[in-house]
Amino acid sequence: MLCSGVSSGYYPDKERGTMTDILEATVHNEASARLDARGVAKLYDVTLVDIANAIGKSEDTVRKNSDSAPIQEKLGILVDCFARVYDLMQHDERAVRRWMHRPNRGLDGERPIALLQSGRLAELRATVRQMETASYA
């Protein structure tokens, strides 16, 4: 499971997560067993530039060190958010991506993907948590 079987310790709620093994394999570098920015980009169906922006690093840095230790925490936040929405969307990857790309009333019409692309991970995380507690419009 994505949030429970990882030894990196970057997942805020380790007991959470029901993503499939295939999705988990997508986000990890097989050799290092760390989260990999390329895999996270594939998970969200965005560019590596988008992931670099999300985690506050340059594209060049992320391209050269896509699974480095200093970026694991922020990659973990992104993966955790995806896993939580994935659970809410009844394990439908396409539904998660649609939700990410559609204007959202709870964000005053902004798309959740814009939060990712502009590095506003705390807002993305808060939005997802509001959805989980049904205090989200």
Side-chain angles (χ1 to χ4, degrees), residues 2-3 11-19 44 76-91 96 99 124-125 128-133:
L2 197 59
C3 296
Y11 297 102
D13 298 315
K14 289 186 177 187
E15 73 279 358
R16 294 276 311 153
T18 59
M19 291 180 70
Y44 275 94
I77 291 168
L78 289 170
V79 172
D80 185 63
C81 286
F82 192 97
R84 289 169 183 268
V85 177
Y86 182 79
D87 285 348
L88 291 169
M89 300 290 178
Q90 266 106 69
H91 304 166
V96 175
W99 176 81
L124 179 61
R125 181 191 277 171
V128 171
R129 288 187 175 160
Q130 287 173 347
M131 287 173 57
E132 288 177 313
T133 61

Side-chain angles (χ1 to χ4, degrees), residues 5-109:
V6 179
S7 61
S8 65
Y10 290 111
Y11 297 102
D13 298 315
K14 289 186 177 187
E15 73 279 358
R16 294 276 311 153
T18 59
M19 291 180 70
T20 65
D21 291 338
I22 293 169
L23 291 178
E24 184 173 332
T26 299
V27 298
H28 286 91
N29 178 307
E30 193 173 308
S32 70
R34 291 187 197 164
L35 293 173
D36 191 293
R38 287 181 180 89
V40 176
K42 185 176 179 182
L43 182 69
Y44 275 94
D45 195 24
V46 298
T47 67
L48 198 56
V49 172
D50 290 328
I51 297 301
N53 290 338
I55 64 174
K57 299 291 182 186
S58 73
E59 177 189 5
D60 192 47
T61 297
V62 174
R63 193 171 302 286
K64 289 179 183 174
N65 304 294
S66 63
D67 69 339
S68 68
I71 65 173
Q72 292 299 296
E73 183 173 7
K74 288 187 177 178
L75 291 177
I77 291 168
L78 289 170
V79 172
D80 185 63
C81 286
F82 192 97
R84 289 169 183 268
V85 177
Y86 182 79
D87 285 348
L88 291 169
M89 300 290 178
Q90 266 106 69
H91 304 166
D92 183 342
E93 289 178 65
R94 283 184 247 151
V96 175
R97 292 185 188 108
R98 279 191 305 270
W99 176 81
M100 290 292 297
H101 290 275
R102 288 191 175 148
N104 193 293
R105 286 185 306 168
L107 296 171
D108 295 326

